[in-house]
Amino acid sequence: MKRIFILFSFLFTVNLVSYSQSGKLEKGKESIKESTTTSTTSSDSSTTKRSGRRTRETNDESYFGSFFAGIFVDLFAYTAYGIAIESPFELDGRMHDAEIANYPFENSFHGNYIYANSTNYKIVRFDISNNFVIENSNLYGNNFGVDFRFLRRFGLEFDYLSLTEKINAKRDQFSLYSALLNYHRIRTQKLDAWFGLGVMYVGEDVHKTGFGIGLGAEWFVAKPISLKVSHKWTNINNQEVNNTKLLLKYHIKKYHISSGYEHFKIGVSKIDAFSFGVGVSL
């Protein structure tokens, strides 16, 4: 009898503790809503003391300083453009004129891009995907995306993430919207890699918007298999919100089936989920 009483007491205590705990979504949203403010102080007095000496030094070195600064700025801009957009060595390469394929693996030799000769290609293309994500029976959601590709190298990518968590007989919700303008930097028949800039918005009871950054690549291993990795990031109230995907895709003509891993960081909360979905290229 004593053992039974102890067992029931233990279960009752565990039950009380579980009811007092909050879920990952609630903790994450609360951390995002907590804004931090910092105060700044001016240093006008010290600046004034140094201004006379600095003026004399500037008069002596202004010509040489501006000359070398101009060279440095031009060299940096030229190098940055070559790395991010296109280098002079690529102008005569096949990647420079690569076209958007009708759909991945239309034949065995190309993925998202083709080196167009007599092969038909797309001026614009819509890639639509929908993935179900689940960490456990209490935390799951849906990730819907549309990627509008145009002008060979660009894409407008829209995503909507919805997560649901069941905690103590109640449901908590989290939603994330993102809109990024992508530039597809590497456009070969086997590899497609891009970066993007835009905005990301956290809905529900947070209602905060942040500057968004995206990176991604898809490697077309061999027909009909490709491997896709992507990462989207924003900062809201000094808290990180991101989504990382690692998906294996199986292509069937214009359609694909995907399965893999997705990681979400919502403020202080981290979620590791299994992902399964379908998609189509139009």
Side-chain angles (χ1 to χ4, degrees):
M1 185 69 182
K2 183 177 180 181
R3 291 180 179 177
I4 296 175
F5 176 77
I6 294 174
L7 177 61
F8 273 101
S9 299
F10 174 76
L11 293 176
F12 181 73
T13 303
V14 171
N15 190 49
L16 286 178
V17 171
S18 65
Y19 269 81
S20 64
Q21 291 178 344
S22 57
K24 289 185 176 182
L25 298 186
E26 182 179 350
K27 289 179 180 178
K29 290 190 294 184
E30 289 300 321
S31 67
I32 295 173
K33 289 190 289 186
E34 294 175 358
S35 60
T36 56
T37 57
T38 56
S39 60
T40 58
T41 58
S42 62
S43 56
D44 293 339
S45 57
S46 59
T47 302
T48 303
K49 293 178 181 179
R50 294 192 300 266
S51 61
R53 182 181 59 186
R54 188 184 304 160
T55 300
R56 290 191 298 270
E57 294 174 352
T58 301
N59 290 336
D60 295 335
E61 301 177 359
S62 59
Y63 174 77
F64 295 102
S66 60
F67 176 75
F68 287 108
I71 294 177
F72 177 78
V73 170
D74 292 342
L75 182 61
F76 176 80
Y78 183 79
T79 304
Y81 179 87
I83 294 174
I85 307 300
E86 190 172 48
S87 69
F89 307 103
E90 299 174 80
L91 295 178
D92 296 327
R94 303 203 69 179
M95 193 173 73
H96 176 76
D97 297 317
E99 300 283 358
I100 303 170
N102 290 317
Y103 54 88
F105 288 125
E106 187 177 5
N107 59 49
S108 301
F109 304 104
H110 67 73
N112 283 330
Y113 284 93
I114 58 175
Y115 299 147
N117 292 317
S118 59
T119 308
N120 292 328
Y121 56 87
K122 282 273 192 180
I123 298 176
V124 298
R125 194 179 92 187
F126 286 90
D127 292 337
I128 303 172
S129 63
N130 192 78
N131 282 65
F132 176 74
V133 294
I134 179 169
E135 183 179 65
N136 53 55
S137 59
N138 293 322
L139 180 51
Y140 52 87
N142 198 68
N143 204 334
F144 176 77
V146 177
D147 187 6
F148 171 53
R149 294 170 176 262
F150 61 98
L151 295 178
R152 298 179 180 175
R153 307 181 179 197
F154 295 93
L156 278 174
E157 187 177 5
F158 303 94
D159 280 282
Y160 168 62
L161 169 68
S162 175
L163 296 175
T164 300
E165 186 175 22
K166 295 186 293 184
I167 297 292
N168 304 328
K170 74 171 186 176
R171 292 177 181 268
D172 199 4
Q173 304 284 337
F174 173 83
S175 61
L176 176 66
Y177 303 81
S178 65
L180 300 179
L181 175 63
N182 293 332
Y183 179 77
H184 292 260
R185 178 62 182 88
I186 299 177
R187 304 172 304 281
T188 72
Q189 294 190 140
K190 286 293 186 180
L191 181 63
D192 176 17
W194 62 91
F195 64 88
L197 303 174
V199 294
M200 297 175 69
Y201 171 77
V202 178
E204 296 303 327
D205 53 344
V206 179
H207 303 297
K208 296 289 184 180
T209 302
F211 175 71
I213 298 174
L215 296 169
E218 187 166 4
W219 175 35
F220 296 88
V221 183
K223 189 177 184 178
I225 302 297
S226 70
L227 182 65
K228 180 179 180 180
V229 57
S230 65
H231 179 76
K232 294 181 180 179
W233 174 93
T234 188
N235 185 288
I236 297 177
N237 287 336
N238 294 322
Q239 291 290 342
E240 185 176 351
V241 178
N242 67 45
N243 176 205
T244 302
K245 299 180 183 181
L246 180 60
L247 300 176
L248 188 68
K249 299 169 69 174
Y250 185 90
H251 298 265
I252 309 170
K253 293 186 177 181
K254 294 183 178 181
Y255 305 92
H256 75 259
I257 302 171
S258 65
S259 179
Y261 164 79
E262 293 199 39
H263 172 80
F264 308 98
K265 190 174 189 302
I266 306 169
V268 298
S269 297
K270 296 180 180 180
I271 299 169
D272 297 294
F274 171 76
S275 176
F276 178 82
V278 295
V280 62
S281 297
L282 302 174

